Amino acid sequence: MSETCMMVLIVLDLALLGISMVNTGILIVGLQGALLGAFVIAVNAPALSPRLFVIACAGIAIKGFLFPLLLRRTIKEANIQRDMNPFVGASLSLLIGILMLASALWLGAELPLTGVIRAPFTVPASFMTMFTGLFLIIARKKALTQCLGYIVFENGIYAFGVAAVGEIPSLVELGLLLDAFVAVFVMGIAIYRINQEFDHMDADELRSLKG
Amino acid sequence: MDNTHPLLLTCLLCVPAIAAGLAAVTARSLRAAAFITAAGIGGGSALGLAAAVEAGKHGTISALGSWLYVDALSAFNLAVMIIVYIMSTVFAFVYFKEEARAGAFSLKQARQFAALWCGSFTSMTLVLVSNNLGIMWVGIEATTLLTAFLICIHSSRHSLEAMWKYLLICSVGVAFAFMGTLLAAASSRHVAGFDIHQALLWTRLRDHAAMLNPALIKAAFIFLVVGYGTKAGLAPMHNWLPDAHSQAPAPVSALFSGFMLNAALYCIMRYIPIVEAATGHAGWALTLLAALGVFSIGIGAAFIVFQQDIKRLLAYCSVEHIGIIALGLGLGGIGVFAALFHTLNHSLCKSLSFFAAGRLGQRYGTHDIRLLHGATRNSRLWGTALFVSLLALMGVAPFALFMSEFRILKAAVDAHAFVLLALFLCGVSVVFVGMLSKAIPLMWGESTVSVAAPDIHTRLEAGLVVIPLAALLALGCWMPGFLGTALTQASDIIRTGAALPPH
Amino acid sequence: MKHPHVIAVFNYFLALALAPLLTGVVNRVKARFAGRSGPPLFQAYYDIAKLLRKGAVYGAQTSWIFRASAPVILASGMIALLTVPFGGASAPLAFGGDIIVLAYMLGLMRFFTIVAALDTGSSFEGMGASREAFFSALAEPALLLGVAALAVKTGWMSLSSMLPAASPVSFELILVVAAFIIVYLAENARIPIDDPATHLELTMIHEVMILDHSGPDFGCIEFASSLKLWILGAIIVDIAVPYRSGWWFVDCAEGVAGMLVLAAAVGTVESAMARLRLLRVPQLLVAAGALSTIAFLLVVR
């Protein structure tokens, strides 16, 4: 079950690379968040404590519902264009995504984590998600998509954490969720203010400070 | 020897947070916002100094089941933080009073500033006093988020651009650091008696450091150095630094360079003894840190030479000094002592220079160095302050920065790291020449911009200039006993993980 | 299974007989969705019979290539059909690596369609030819990598052994089937890649290439198109439908039912979706290739 979760995560990553509309991207990122909550439950299934269950549900609620809500509100308020207009086109992004998957699989075989990781396919999947997040930040023009890339990057790290470390004390877990939430919230406000001042959302255009 | 002071430590965290909330919601005038900020920062500082003194007396203090923990290293950094905050808060009053007089500082901006300022105090304190590495990470991330909007208090195209770059680069960097934290926790899983609730505690990792999985802890350290190094301004992850420092208002820039970069370095310092013990004291972590340090010195030196904006110049100077501190940490031995001493000196001096740059910017209306020629003649106090602080930053004797850099030189010689020594000297020389060529016209150049406003300054401003300069001169000539002890104990923690008991 | 060779030959002739029925099912489903009663199910048979009775007209600019293309297309289709297993039984022509024969026979079919289209000298047909060449170049890796994934997973190199053994449901299998469905739609020129019912030449890909064929030639090409529907559909149905009972009659019926369901599904998709913008079609095909590649990487690790 947890292996399937990780494989679906990889497919969602590739989907993110291939799409061209911001709204679809937000939907996929929400799905990823909900999937990670399910993954927490799947990994801990033999010994599921109520505390973990609550944390998993909180994760699903925040990452699966709240983040997309925040981002959609930002789009509406800032009146952003729907088309992503990326630097690197969808087909090329997909091909690069395949390369990233191959390198993530290689890394997964290289790192000495076999005794530590509880769900065996997690290392390649989480590295793939991290690479996807970084790629989205670098190769996309719109500030909102860079924010999506950040969320995807955090998702990858979180997936790794769930499998490698397992139960983190609740307070730390909640602190992490809260941090992620506030980060997305702050980025939303930042995007709104940028849009007010600049009339566009292309982070590519933000290059007047040099040297 | 542990002593629990739950009330002290929790109040330390809560008081500024409450002040932040109050400032955001109830401040009805600029004066009220200033008052609430003063109360919050003042209260927090008093409590922080009390905590540091207690830690000095007892060795360590802890609270909340040792989730909060103050030892000599935390206490030292806490003291530095409080000094920087007090100075910057007083300067903020002066700076924004001038802006308010010119009608450029609204109540909304004042509230935002007060709330974020007090909030960042809380988050930085959280970083320093938490024993739980996960909570320490949460504190650093909170620092990024809270200080982001301090950069664009005055909305403009450039400040928004700087804010977005800062937010994105530092958030991604800190996320890398989280991956490192997870790997560090994972490396301790096979240790007997592993209790997940204790796995992220620094004290526990330190106690079991020799038994950690070396490959995992090495991977963790790489992620941590890249991650926290982004926040600290180590090259090549320093890209956000010049933009953020040049676009933020002067008190905020002073805070960034004065303490925020140190906070990120503090996080790296916490991991050094663990990694060193886990890799058998082979010096792997130290080499990595020293290499990055020398690289930062080089980058800082290269970019200083052609800067035209005074605040960007100071920002690259920060990159260079953070590189020097990292180099000191990486050399080990007396280098660690010198690096910690350097953090104190750099914070004092850099804050002062940003204060001066800010006030001169207000007076002249520009930050362009070419237009600031002859500033010492037109504004005697702040022009002189800028000139002298630039001299101190270059490493001119007898200021304290010269002493700490000299000690790092000695540490390099002791460790036979001659390549690093040569690169260090090269970098510092380039900085010396570059900055001197810009500092001399400040004093003796022909002023091209005429300023109509009279050159009056309050005693408060004079105090802001004289006290740090005097402290730097004093520290350069003589190391007070208590400071020496504090530095020795703190450097012991970095080198071996535990301070020797105070005698 | 007793008498495998007899069953294989029987399946082959069954395929030849039933292939045009699939076209009829697709059109009937589309008509029903549109609220019409639609053409009879066996309309394709009537059309082919009618075309065989007519005479062919050849353009003055065409050469022997054009005249030769229709029989070659039909012949390569029939040879390709020889390698496809059906109903859990082996194909008449089964050996390790027979997927290459299948792929290349389909490729030969495509090649002669393209060359005949270019031979007519019409710009519409040339445009269709270039599109067809591009899209099938993108769809080919998806098909081959998917089959490679199946080969590694089941350990067999022949289609006849590989496809029946691929029954336990796993994530990689779902990815492969998804990729194959996209390839199926692409190769048979169905929505969302191409609209077979359009009359606007500028929007056509496959239909425009066969504009100039007439009479028996056109009949051959229509029959070959139905064969292609059957061949690629049989691959999907063989993976998706588990043949558990040992009786060839039951398995065969299951297979036919599966083919009809697949045809109905194609009809549904055609009625529910619009054709993709031409710019997006390569992205869809690269996505299919990506799905196959993921499945392959997952199987190989």
Side-chain angles (χ1 to χ4, degrees):
Chain A
M1 175 63 184
S2 48
E3 266 208 29
T4 320
C5 279
M6 287 293 103
M7 293 190 190
V8 176
L9 188 66
I10 293 185
V11 173
L12 284 177
D13 288 334
L14 282 168
L16 264 176
L17 290 172
I19 52 158
S20 55
M21 302 289 273
V22 180
N23 279 322
T24 326
I26 295 180
L27 179 69
I28 295 179
V29 170
L31 276 174
Q32 260 192 357
L35 181 71
L36 282 177
F39 179 60
V40 172
I41 299 178
V43 167
N44 290 304
L48 191 66
S49 63
R51 188 183 73 86
L52 258 179
F53 187 69
V54 166
I55 290 183
C57 291
I60 296 182
I62 293 184
K63 293 192 183 176
F65 292 105
L66 211 51
F67 282 175
L69 195 71
L70 273 178
L71 291 171
R72 288 217 183 87
R73 236 187 50 174
T74 313
I75 291 187
K76 203 158 53 157
E77 282 182 17
N79 211 12
I80 298 177
Q81 272 179 307
R82 308 300 165 139
D83 196 15
M84 269 208 236
N85 208 15
F87 281 129
V88 182
S91 304
L92 187 57
S93 304
L94 271 177
L95 291 173
I96 295 180
I98 303 282
L99 281 175
M100 294 197 294
L101 179 59
S103 41
L105 284 168
W106 175 79
L107 264 177
E110 284 294 308
L111 276 182
L113 285 165
T114 39
V116 177
I117 298 280
R118 301 188 291 163
F121 198 56
T122 315
V123 177
S126 57
F127 272 104
M128 171 70 185
T129 315
M130 287 195 269
F131 289 156
T132 311
L134 282 175
F135 181 76
L136 282 177
I137 292 179
I138 300 173
R140 295 282 183 264
K141 274 198 217 171
K142 299 221 174 306
L144 191 74
T145 331
Q146 289 180 333
C147 182
L148 277 179
Y150 173 71
I151 299 177
V152 171
F153 187 65
E154 285 262 13
N155 280 347
I157 298 182
Y158 185 70
F160 183 82
V162 169
V165 181
E167 267 186 60
I168 314 179
S170 318
L171 205 58
V172 182
E173 183 84 39
L174 288 173
L176 295 171
L177 278 174
L178 185 68
D179 245 346
F181 170 70
V182 174
V184 174
F185 186 66
V186 165
M187 284 188 190
I189 299 182
I191 292 175
Y192 175 69
R193 287 182 72 170
I194 292 178
N195 200 60
Q196 295 287 88
E197 180 73 30
F198 277 92
D199 258 354
H200 66 77
M201 276 316 311
D202 286 353
D204 174 47
E205 299 282 324
L206 299 175
R207 45 180 151 78
S208 58
L209 295 171
K210 279 202 220 269
Chain B
M1 189 173 49
D2 262 18
N3 251 285
T4 52
H5 287 69
L7 196 60
L8 179 60
L9 290 176
T10 40
C11 280
L12 174 59
L13 288 171
C14 290
V15 163
I18 295 176
L22 278 176
V25 173
T26 63
R28 237 167 296 225
S29 67
L30 290 179
R31 196 178 287 266
F35 180 70
I36 297 177
T37 317
I41 302 290
S45 307
L47 289 166
L49 277 173
V53 167
E54 282 291 309
K57 263 199 311 201
H58 299 286
T60 65
I61 59 174
S62 62
L64 297 182
S66 81
W67 271 45
L68 298 180
Y69 178 80
V70 179
D71 59 7
L73 184 61
S74 318
F76 174 70
N77 278 293
L78 206 51
V80 174
M81 179 180 112
I82 288 169
I83 295 174
V84 170
Y85 254 101
I86 292 181
M87 280 178 24
S88 305
T89 314
V90 171
F91 177 71
F93 293 151
V94 170
Y95 185 81
F96 287 124
K97 193 155 110 178
E98 179 73 32
E99 279 199 357
R101 203 183 318 155
F105 195 58
S106 69
L107 177 61
K108 184 156 162 281
Q109 285 170 328
R111 276 187 181 178
Q112 207 178 26
F113 183 85
L116 293 172
W117 191 256
C118 296
S120 58
F121 186 95
T122 314
S123 62
M124 291 197 209
T125 318
L126 188 62
V127 172
L128 293 178
V129 307
S130 71
N131 194 15
N132 186 316
L133 294 168
I135 298 287
M136 187 170 84
W137 179 86
V138 169
I140 290 275
E141 174 77 3
T143 318
T144 312
L145 298 173
L146 286 167
T147 49
F149 287 128
L150 279 175
I151 297 179
C152 57
I153 284 279
H154 295 295
S155 280
S156 75
R157 298 179 88 92
H158 292 305
S159 66
L160 285 172
E161 175 183 340
M163 180 268 295
W164 181 252
K165 259 170 116 167
Y166 170 65
L167 194 54
L168 203 60
I169 294 181
C170 284
S171 295
V172 172
V174 175
F176 263 99
F178 182 50
M179 181 70 178
T181 316
L182 285 176
L183 280 170
S187 70
S188 73
R189 272 198 92 174
H190 63 273
V191 173
F194 175 79
D195 174 15
I196 189 64
H197 294 279
Q198 306 278 321
L200 280 173
L201 290 181
W202 180 80
T203 37
R204 184 161 174 85
L205 273 180
R206 173 200 62 185
D207 291 335
H208 293 135
M211 297 187 267
L212 298 175
N213 182 337
L216 278 180
I217 201 75
K218 277 189 182 178
F221 192 66
I222 293 178
F223 272 101
L224 286 165
V225 163
V226 168
Y228 285 129
T230 312
K231 198 79 209 307
L234 283 173
M237 292 95 50
H238 66 287
N239 291 301
W240 59 272
L241 233 165
D243 300 337
H245 279 77
S246 58
Q247 298 308 316
V252 178
S253 307
L255 181 66
F256 276 15
S257 273
F259 194 69
M260 203 177 69
L261 305 182
N262 290 8
L265 268 183
Y266 166 83
C267 297
I268 300 181
M269 286 182 209
R270 278 287 174 199
Y271 280 96
I272 293 178
I274 298 176
V275 180
E276 278 295 292
T279 55
H281 293 280
W284 178 86
L286 298 180
T287 319
L288 180 64
L289 210 48
L292 275 175
V294 160
F295 188 57
S296 304
I297 297 175
I299 293 277
F303 276 84
I304 279 179
V305 176
F306 58 85
Q307 287 306 315
Q308 307 292 4
D309 182 312
I310 183 71
K311 286 174 89 176
R312 280 182 91 88
L313 177 80
L314 291 172
Y316 278 110
C317 189
S318 290
V319 172
E320 186 225 346
H321 281 280
I322 292 289
I324 294 177
I325 298 174
L327 176 64
L329 286 173
L331 287 170
I334 194 180
V336 181
F337 180 94
L340 285 172
F341 187 37
H342 199 79
T343 59
L344 173 64
N345 302 333
H346 176 243
S347 300
L348 277 175
C349 196
K350 194 46 76 65
S351 312
L352 177 62
S353 54
F354 269 113
F355 295 165
R359 285 294 277 145
L360 285 178
Q362 275 185 327
R363 210 167 136 65
Y364 282 80
T366 173
H367 285 125
D368 193 329
I369 299 182
R370 293 166 295 192
L371 297 176
L372 287 175
H373 285 176
T376 27
R377 277 198 300 269
N378 282 331
S379 349
R380 279 164 315 171
L381 180 68
W382 288 111
T384 324
L386 184 61
F387 181 69
V388 177
S389 61
L390 281 177
L391 283 182
L393 284 170
M394 280 188 270
V396 168
F399 288 107
L401 284 134
F402 172 75
M403 287 313 294
S404 44
E405 286 180 19
F406 189 74
R407 282 201 171 96
I408 293 183
L409 262 173
K410 182 169 186 307
V413 172
D414 283 345
H416 301 289
F418 294 113
V419 176
L420 288 175
L421 179 66
L423 289 170
F424 174 45
L425 283 175
C426 264
V428 170
S429 321
V430 171
V431 170
F432 190 89
V433 172
M435 278 179 68
L436 196 59
S437 70
K438 299 192 191 332
I440 290 184
L442 268 180
M443 186 82 157
W444 288 290
E446 285 298 316
S447 53
T448 46
V449 174
S450 60
V451 182
D455 179 28
I456 40 171
H457 43 78
T458 62
R459 270 204 284 261
L460 192 62
E461 293 182 44
L464 267 179
V465 169
V466 170
I467 297 177
L469 282 180
L472 284 169
L473 264 176
L475 284 172
C477 304
W478 159 71
M479 170 82 72
F482 70 91
L483 182 60
T485 328
L487 284 172
T488 318
Q489 285 186 331
S491 61
D492 279 340
I493 293 181
I494 296 180
R495 278 179 314 151
T496 60
L500 301 167
H503 31 265
Chain C
M1 208 173 277
K2 288 195 286 202
H3 311 298
H5 301 293
V6 176
I7 298 172
V9 172
F10 174 79
N11 283 341
Y12 184 73
F13 284 107
L14 184 71
L16 284 179
L18 286 184
L21 184 58
L22 293 181
T23 324
V25 170
V26 174
N27 289 334
R28 192 64 179 264
V29 169
K30 276 166 68 172
R32 278 292 152 89
F33 264 97
R36 299 178 275 123
S37 53
L41 280 174
F42 295 100
Q43 182 61 40
Y45 295 96
Y46 304 146
D47 283 339
I48 294 174
K50 171 189 79 176
L51 285 167
L52 286 176
R53 281 198 297 266
K54 289 194 167 186
V57 176
Y58 297 110
Q61 323 86 300
T62 60
S63 65
W64 64 270
I65 296 179
F66 188 79
R67 276 162 249 254
S69 61
V72 171
I73 290 172
L74 180 58
S76 47
M78 289 174 74
I79 298 178
L81 186 60
L82 277 176
T83 61
V84 176
F86 185 72
S90 151
L93 193 65
F95 52 90
D98 53 10
I99 177 63
I100 306 291
V101 172
L102 176 68
Y104 272 80
M105 279 300 128
L106 289 179
L108 196 66
M109 205 157 121
R110 194 183 306 127
F111 176 71
F112 267 90
T113 319
I114 290 178
V115 158
L118 290 174
D119 195 33
T120 61
S122 150
S123 44
F124 282 139
E125 306 202 5
M127 169 198 80
S130 81
R131 283 176 185 171
E132 171 81 11
F134 181 44
F135 293 157
S136 43
L138 290 177
E140 193 91 353
L143 181 66
L144 289 175
L145 273 173
V147 173
L150 283 177
V152 174
K153 191 167 168 69
T154 57
W156 295 104
M157 292 292 283
S158 161
L159 270 182
S160 306
S161 330
M162 197 194 302
L163 297 183
S167 25
V169 171
S170 69
F171 191 70
E172 295 98 348
L173 211 60
I174 296 178
L175 287 178
V176 168
V177 169
F180 279 179
I181 289 179
I182 298 180
V183 170
Y184 181 70
L185 292 171
E187 290 278 345
N188 292 301
R190 297 276 147 196
I191 288 177
I193 285 97
D194 184 18
D195 186 358
T198 182
H199 57 276
L200 303 165
E201 290 92 347
L202 283 174
T203 63
M204 297 179 190
I205 300 174
H206 181 77
E207 290 296 312
V208 71
M209 287 193 291
I210 52 179
L211 273 181
D212 268 12
H213 292 270
S214 52
D217 290 351
F218 194 42
C220 290
I221 292 182
E222 285 292 290
F223 188 62
S225 306
S226 328
L227 279 185
K228 210 165 159 184
L229 262 180
W230 182 276
I231 291 171
L232 290 170
I235 296 182
I236 297 178
V237 167
D238 276 344
I239 302 177
V241 175
Y243 298 113
R244 294 260 171 146
S245 72
W247 296 20
W248 69 270
F249 188 66
V250 174
D251 289 337
C252 197
E254 275 184 33
V256 172
M259 296 296 288
L260 292 176
V261 165
L262 186 63
V266 171
T268 315
V269 166
E270 294 224 321
S271 314
M273 283 183 70
R275 215 198 69 164
L276 282 179
R277 279 171 60 192
L278 224 47
L279 292 173
R280 299 266 181 243
V281 173
Q283 290 174 4
L284 179 65
L285 294 172
V286 171
L291 287 175
S292 288
T293 317
I294 306 176
F296 183 70
L297 285 174
L298 289 181
V299 162
V300 160
R301 70 173 166 97

